[in-house]
Amino acid sequence: MNYRLDIEYDGSRYEGWQRQNRTTNTIQGKIEEVLSKMCETPIEIDGAGRTDAGVHAKGQVANVHLETEKSCEEICEYLNHYLPEDIAVQCVSEAEPRFHSRLLAKEKIYQYRILTGGHKNVFERKYVYPLQETLDIKAMKKAAEKLVGTHDFKSFCSNKKMKKSTVRTIYEIKLEEENGEIRITYRGNGFLYNMVRILTGTLIEVGRGEKMAESIDGILEAKERSGAGFTVPARGLILSEVRY
Amino acid sequence: MNYRLDIEYDGSRYEGWQRQNRTTNTIQGKIEEVLSKMCETPIEIDGAGRTDAGVHAKGQVANVHLETEKSCEEICEYLNHYLPEDIAVQCVSEAEPRFHSRLLAKEKIYQYRILTGGHKNVFERKYVYPLQETLDIKAMKKAAEKLVGTHDFKSFCSNKKMKKSTVRTIYEIKLEEENGEIRITYRGNGFLYNMVRILTGTLIEVGRGEKMAESIDGILEAKERSGAGFTVPARGLILSEVRY
């Protein structure tokens, strides 16, 4: 039976989603460990988004093939009982045999939070980037509009050895400002390695006046990482939703 | 000049508000350390609520006498710059010479959060008590009504050596249930050592059916700690507000 898992995690303590080897501390590794114990056989799961070290998720989706007599509710309970406090499985459901969380994902939504006001946010400090600068949000919105659409995002990818296509479609970039915080929501068909964090860094540089909104076209055309902005810290980023 | 400080903290990492000696890790100690550095002389501050180890605050108030040429904004900036990420000073303001944060406090509001639903709350896990049981909130509300008023709360105090009066007035206990979570808000003129946590443990035992709401009067009259409920964990508790 193929199961779909809806997963939430605080990525602060982990080296990202993807299992690398036995010694690395990853979210995928933690979940596989519990499922393998439950089924008394090695289990591998597939996640929709390979979030980096320190990145969080509210709507990560994974799928896994299991032979078990447990119900979905029982699997979910078992997982939450044995998983650490900062990883939760919100729901386990039966999926069609051919359902694949990553290959069939149509849209992914990421959100990035930037503290711009002078205040500290004690209770959400692990989920925001404390930039503490005033940014020109109008200019950032103008630049964001130029990033929306189907483009070659090679300039916004940290992986220099990337051999596959770097063309992606961004459907929407929404900027909201409230209580000394800017939230940027990205909705697209997929994102390259570090792409959301480089997009955000570039928008921040536009907001500071270091880059012009008009320069975005040229940065995309150049296909050179050096033309884009800095990579913002992982802590402000969350994978909000995966749509099929 | 006498200054009022409005303070917020995540108490998870600390041994409570009150400085005990040089080696203990307390919130008062951390703030005094920064102010002493700023003024180049030992500084002592007074806090309104002596929160226990692991208890949080959104509206802690302290006052401090300082000789400095810095403005309130500059003192606030200096504090937030040197304080750790989990302690924030939201506001520094000039206070009347006789203002004393603890002695003049008229009301304190504490809130306790209990997770009752089956879900895990990953992002707020350090601020809720994951009880994961279904509770009879009607019975709890009935018991809460019996606790409101002026009573000798000796049965709800952990400090056996308490020689001062254990009479306190609770103005209001509000119970709210939402999204698999119960929030209990206590408003009173003051609270004894561990009192809010014992009140909450007692209400939980009523919610479980282990104690009857009608037994509250007898528990109060007995003036015996053993009659009241268990002490809930510190993590779910927050000092929300101090009123003058």
Side-chain angles (χ1 to χ4, degrees):
Chain A
M1 178 68 78
N2 191 12
Y3 294 92
R4 170 182 164 146
L5 312 179
D6 286 83
I7 304 158
E8 184 175 299
Y9 47 84
D10 175 338
S12 310
R13 286 200 310 137
Y14 298 96
E15 297 172 59
W17 166 264
Q18 199 171 14
R19 171 179 31 80
Q20 289 153 43
N21 56 52
R22 272 158 195 277
T23 58
T24 54
N25 189 30
T26 66
I27 296 123
Q28 182 185 10
K30 287 284 172 194
I31 297 173
E32 287 179 348
E33 205 179 284
V34 177
L35 286 172
S36 302
K37 185 176 156 180
M38 186 184 93
C39 298
E40 292 173 336
T41 180
I43 300 288
E44 289 192 8
I45 66 172
D46 264 304
R50 291 169 180 156
T51 54
D52 294 342
V55 174
H56 319 290
K58 243 189 177 128
Q60 173 75 285
V61 179
N63 75 292
V64 60
H65 293 268
L66 296 177
E67 276 181 50
T68 175
E69 288 179 4
K70 286 191 197 297
S71 69
C72 288
E73 289 71 27
E74 286 167 343
I75 300 170
C76 190
E77 239 173 69
Y78 188 97
L79 277 162
N80 285 326
H81 183 77
Y82 288 105
L83 283 170
E85 274 201 330
D86 46 11
I87 304 177
V89 177
Q90 295 300 352
C91 183
V92 175
S93 51
E94 291 181 6
E96 287 180 30
R98 55 177 291 283
F99 174 74
H100 189 289
S101 62
R102 193 175 64 256
L103 300 177
L104 298 180
K106 282 202 179 118
E107 285 183 15
K108 281 177 200 161
I109 299 174
Y110 280 93
Q111 192 175 65
Y112 199 89
R113 295 173 62 185
I114 306 161
L115 268 192
T116 54
H119 72 294
K120 269 165 135 175
N121 188 329
V122 161
F123 299 104
E124 304 201 321
R125 68 189 185 279
K126 290 161 100 189
Y127 317 120
V128 294
Y129 171 34
L131 185 70
Q132 310 294 27
E133 292 174 32
T134 308
L135 299 174
D136 178 350
I137 194 160
K138 268 195 184 172
M140 292 169 80
K141 282 184 180 174
K142 212 166 145 187
E145 273 174 37
K146 292 184 177 289
L147 290 162
V148 170
T150 302
H151 304 287
D152 186 334
F153 285 99
K154 197 170 195 297
S155 302
F156 296 88
C157 177
S158 283
N159 183 2
K160 284 181 186 169
K161 294 174 202 155
M162 180 77 175
K163 281 177 182 166
K164 295 182 198 162
S165 166
T166 45
V167 174
R168 294 289 185 278
T169 302
I170 299 183
Y171 302 114
E172 192 186 15
I173 303 178
K174 200 164 69 182
L175 282 102
E176 296 161 296
E177 197 170 19
E178 206 183 345
N179 300 327
E181 188 183 317
I182 291 177
R183 291 187 189 209
I184 313 179
T185 310
Y186 299 88
R187 185 167 61 86
N189 67 351
F191 295 91
L192 304 166
Y193 183 58
N194 279 169
M195 179 169 151
V196 179
R197 290 164 60 189
I198 302 170
L199 288 169
T200 305
T202 307
L203 290 178
I204 287 173
E205 291 181 11
V206 170
R208 281 173 175 161
E210 294 170 2
K211 278 189 165 61
M212 302 298 288
E214 290 73 20
S215 69
I216 296 293
D217 296 335
I219 294 170
L220 283 164
E221 274 162 34
K223 295 177 196 173
E224 271 293 336
R225 170 69 189 90
S226 59
F230 71 109
T231 307
V232 291
R235 63 193 281 185
L237 185 60
I238 186 162
L239 169 57
S240 305
E241 195 184 334
V242 183
R243 293 182 181 169
Y244 295 92
Chain B
M1 179 68 79
N2 190 12
Y3 292 93
R4 170 182 165 146
L5 312 179
D6 285 83
I7 304 159
E8 183 174 300
Y9 48 84
D10 175 338
S12 311
R13 288 201 305 139
Y14 298 95
E15 297 172 57
W17 165 264
Q18 199 171 13
R19 172 181 28 83
Q20 290 153 42
N21 56 52
R22 272 158 195 277
T23 59
T24 54
N25 189 29
T26 65
I27 296 122
Q28 182 186 10
K30 286 285 172 195
I31 298 173
E32 287 180 346
E33 205 178 284
V34 177
L35 286 173
S36 302
K37 185 177 159 180
M38 186 185 92
C39 297
E40 294 172 336
T41 182
I43 300 288
E44 290 192 7
I45 66 173
D46 264 304
R50 290 169 181 158
T51 56
D52 294 342
V55 173
H56 320 291
K58 246 194 175 123
Q60 173 73 287
V61 179
N63 74 292
V64 58
H65 293 268
L66 297 177
E67 275 180 50
T68 175
E69 289 181 2
K70 286 192 198 297
S71 69
C72 288
E73 289 71 27
E74 285 166 344
I75 299 169
C76 189
E77 240 173 67
Y78 188 95
L79 277 162
N80 285 325
H81 184 76
Y82 287 105
L83 283 170
E85 274 201 331
D86 47 10
I87 304 177
V89 177
Q90 295 300 351
C91 184
V92 175
S93 52
E94 290 181 7
E96 285 181 30
R98 55 177 290 283
F99 174 73
H100 189 290
S101 62
R102 194 176 65 256
L103 301 178
L104 298 180
K106 283 204 179 114
E107 285 184 16
K108 281 177 200 161
I109 299 174
Y110 280 92
Q111 192 175 65
Y112 198 89
R113 294 173 62 184
I114 306 162
L115 269 192
T116 53
H119 72 295
K120 269 165 134 174
N121 188 331
V122 160
F123 298 105
E124 304 200 324
R125 67 188 185 280
K126 291 161 102 189
Y127 317 120
V128 294
Y129 170 35
L131 185 71
Q132 310 294 26
E133 293 175 31
T134 307
L135 299 174
D136 178 350
I137 193 159
K138 268 195 183 169
M140 293 169 79
K141 282 183 180 174
K142 212 168 143 187
E145 272 173 39
K146 293 187 175 288
L147 290 162
V148 170
T150 302
H151 303 288
D152 187 335
F153 284 99
K154 198 169 193 298
S155 302
F156 296 88
C157 177
S158 283
N159 183 1
K160 285 183 188 168
K161 295 175 203 153
M162 181 77 174
K163 282 179 184 165
K164 294 183 200 163
S165 166
T166 45
V167 174
R168 294 289 185 279
T169 302
I170 299 184
Y171 302 114
E172 191 186 15
I173 304 179
K174 200 165 70 182
L175 282 103
E176 296 163 296
E177 195 169 20
E178 206 183 345
N179 300 326
E181 188 182 316
I182 291 178
R183 290 187 190 208
I184 313 179
T185 310
Y186 300 88
R187 185 166 60 85
N189 68 350
F191 295 91
L192 304 166
Y193 184 58
N194 279 171
M195 178 169 152
V196 178
R197 289 163 60 189
I198 301 170
L199 287 169
T200 305
T202 306
L203 290 178
I204 287 173
E205 291 182 10
V206 170
R208 281 172 174 162
E210 294 170 1
K211 279 191 164 58
M212 303 297 287
E214 289 72 21
S215 69
I216 296 293
D217 296 335
I219 295 171
L220 282 165
E221 274 162 33
K223 294 178 197 173
E224 271 293 334
R225 170 69 189 90
S226 59
F230 70 109
T231 306
V232 290
R235 62 193 284 185
L237 184 60
I238 185 163
L239 170 57
S240 304
E241 196 184 334
V242 183
R243 292 182 182 167
Y244 295 92

